[in-house]
Amino acid sequence: MLRNSVVVTGLGSVTSFGCGVEALWRGCLSGDDVTEPIPPGWSAYYTAASRKWAPLPPIDFQTHGFSRQDLLLMGMPSLLALSAAREAWLHATLPGDGKVEDAWRAGVFLGTGLGGAKAPFDNYRAHLLSGLKKRLEGALSMAPDDTLLAEHLSALQLHPRVHPLVICQTMPNAAAASLSIAFGIKGANETLSQACASGTVAIGRAYESIRRGELDIALAGGVEHLRDKAGGVFMGFDRLQTLARPMVGGEPENRPFDRRRSGFLFSEGGAGVLVLESATHARARGARVLAEIRGFGVNSDAHSMVALDEEGTAISRLYTEVLESAGLGCNDIDYINSHGTGTELNDSVESRLLERHFGQHPVVNSTKSILGHSIGASGALETIITVKSLEEQQVHTSCNLDDPIADLNFCLQSGPARIRHALTESFGFGGHNAVLILGRVLEDH
Amino acid sequence: MDKDSILATVRGLVAETLETDAGHVTAESRIREDLGADSMHVVTLIIALDEAFDAEFNLEEVPKDGVTVAWVADYVDRTLARAS
């Protein structure tokens, strides 16, 4: 480990397994099923082809140190990101008062795909229906015995309240700002939005900033929250035919890299936050190093808003550049945490490129085969899984992979693996490609 | 809801919003001058009123100075009467 290297010293997450990285890691090793039928109310607005999702469990934020005031003011992305950041902070054994030593040399880098999309959906839905409600009320006053009309009206009992902070809750940068305020961080405060690659890009940008010597320490990761009252985000992805559809016989539909895949499992969201530091900073304060970030790269397909470039020219170039910047060859990569969504084209292109560049040596899995796709949070959660895999020398199973589409070394059963270097990658709507390479750090370093 | 119940609820919400002991909050307490509420506290109180009384309260209708807990309770009472 070189003096100017960048290391990971803390991890925090909120996922369908609940709050905490340990719950996430154990859940992934067990391959536990987190899917549930979509909320019945969503079907009142739309008939979806996909029928399942991966919700978050109920979270009692007040037991996680949030005040009543926090809960009234903050949107879910801020609450989720702060929960994950507090865990990462404590995990990194940073000062208990929650403030950094040199606020100007600390940064926040947070990725999100849709920011606070839920806030306007929920706030303005009632207003869009209020005109209709007034007309029905007028009609009912003329015909008070019309029970069918009364029934229709009762279905529109939506109070047209607007939260005074709906704009702040909608801003994509609200979660990053919440972290900056909570931890007194005054250096960089950046929100990265590259759809499904957002979390990976955020961690990469933090890595670059520390490596250039601009910062000593950063909170970096991704957050997403996609549950709105009418299921508006879900229906958008469903309408685009990107979500996994029910299988005949009721078999699990979330099956990345399987021949019978039909789309990704929609996740309610979550948050993953890592503490990144310069090795010098970590060493000076006696922090335990979990992994080293060895390389990062990002580029763009310049091809389509929603589909990967089938040639994979940009991704191929990215592999070459990031490996070179890390001073590694393809054979040095022992584990690949794939993007692995379960969509027809994505898995086809990704598996072909992985096979071409890395062959059968690295063990490959898809964390989305368990958690589903949490868009802007996914890259951060998958980086956390990659750090845990390096640290514990174990790899979690890739679920529901009965008939693989490629001759890759897919992990079909969780277990031990010798991993020196690992690669994790994300590809986002709009053509964003991002790759991170991480390395194992032995205790005596 | 009668006026006494509204006042009791408002006192509780003010105490919760300002994270202060409910014993310090009386009907005569001025939320800014006596209890130290800043503009964010007032926004939070409005959200708490929205949620507790299932009605829409408007920041525009809250005077800048001299707002007592009793004034807030009376404002809630007037707003609920308007909505019904």
Side-chain angles (χ1 to χ4, degrees), chain A residues 143-368:
Chain A
D145 298 330
D146 189 334
T147 52
L148 187 61
L149 192 56
E151 194 182 314
H152 287 319
L153 183 60
S154 70
L156 288 173
Q157 294 301 315
L158 305 161
H159 206 287
R161 290 201 311 251
V162 172
H163 194 289
L165 292 183
V166 62
I167 298 302
C168 297
Q169 292 185 354
T170 307
M171 299 181 329
N173 60 312
S178 296
L179 263 55
S180 161
I181 294 163
F183 294 96
I185 291 172
K186 297 182 177 177
N189 181 1
E190 298 192 14
T191 298
L192 292 305
S193 190
Q194 285 82 8
C196 317
S198 303
T200 310
V201 174
I203 294 164
R205 292 303 184 208
Y207 157 77
E208 289 179 331
S209 204
I210 295 170
R211 197 155 183 261
R212 286 195 298 263
E214 296 158 5
L215 300 173
D216 296 324
I217 187 166
L219 289 171
V223 63
E224 204 72 73
H225 188 247
L226 304 173
R227 177 202 284 251
D228 60 282
K229 285 176 185 162
V233 180
F234 176 87
M235 74 175 80
F237 281 113
D238 187 80
R239 187 91 173 106
L240 196 56
Q241 296 184 306
T242 55
L243 301 184
R245 273 152 278 168
M247 300 271 293
V248 176
E251 285 181 82
E253 52 262 65
N254 180 27
R255 40 182 66 242
F257 299 116
D258 187 79
R259 286 191 198 283
R260 294 184 296 160
R261 71 195 181 282
S262 60
F264 69 79
L265 171 68
F266 182 86
S267 163
E268 178 174 348
V273 175
L274 298 84
V275 175
L276 266 51
E277 298 181 64
S278 70
T280 310
H281 189 266
R283 198 178 292 118
R285 65 180 194 87
R288 191 165 78 88
V289 172
L290 310 174
E292 178 184 3
I293 299 192
R294 293 291 302 266
F296 165 69
V298 63
N299 69 14
S300 184
D301 273 0
H303 171 70
S304 161
M305 192 58 75
V306 294
L308 280 181
D309 174 10
E310 287 193 57
E311 297 299 314
T313 314
I315 297 171
S316 283
R317 185 185 171 98
L318 198 50
Y319 289 149
T320 306
E321 288 176 352
V322 180
L323 284 165
E324 195 178 313
S325 75
L328 298 170
C330 292
N331 291 334
D332 293 316
I333 302 297
D334 301 315
Y335 165 52
I336 294 174
N337 186 300
S338 69
H339 186 51
T341 58
T343 59
E344 177 67 33
L345 182 64
N346 182 91
D347 287 6
S348 164
V349 174
E350 184 177 21
S351 61
R352 185 157 34 82
L353 293 173
L354 290 179
E355 202 170 355
R356 186 192 303 162
H357 286 266
F358 300 96
Q360 282 72 40
H361 169 66
V363 61
V364 177
N365 67 0
S366 160
T367 300
K368 293 185 187 77

Side-chain angles (χ1 to χ4, degrees), chain A residues 38-103:
Chain A
I38 59 170
W42 290 2
S43 303
Y45 299 88
Y46 175 72
T47 304
S50 180
R51 306 305 302 163
K52 287 201 172 169
W53 74 324
L56 293 170
I59 300 166
D60 183 356
F61 285 105
Q62 283 182 294
T63 64
H64 290 274
F66 290 92
S67 68
R68 174 91 173 115
Q69 191 171 351
D70 293 333
L71 300 183
L72 287 169
L73 295 177
M74 289 182 189
M76 273 295 277
S78 290
L79 294 171
L80 295 170
L82 263 172
S83 294
R86 284 178 180 163
E87 183 194 358
W89 189 270
L90 291 175
H91 188 210
T93 60
L94 283 158
D97 62 0
K99 300 291 177 193
V100 286
E101 197 178 336
D102 184 348

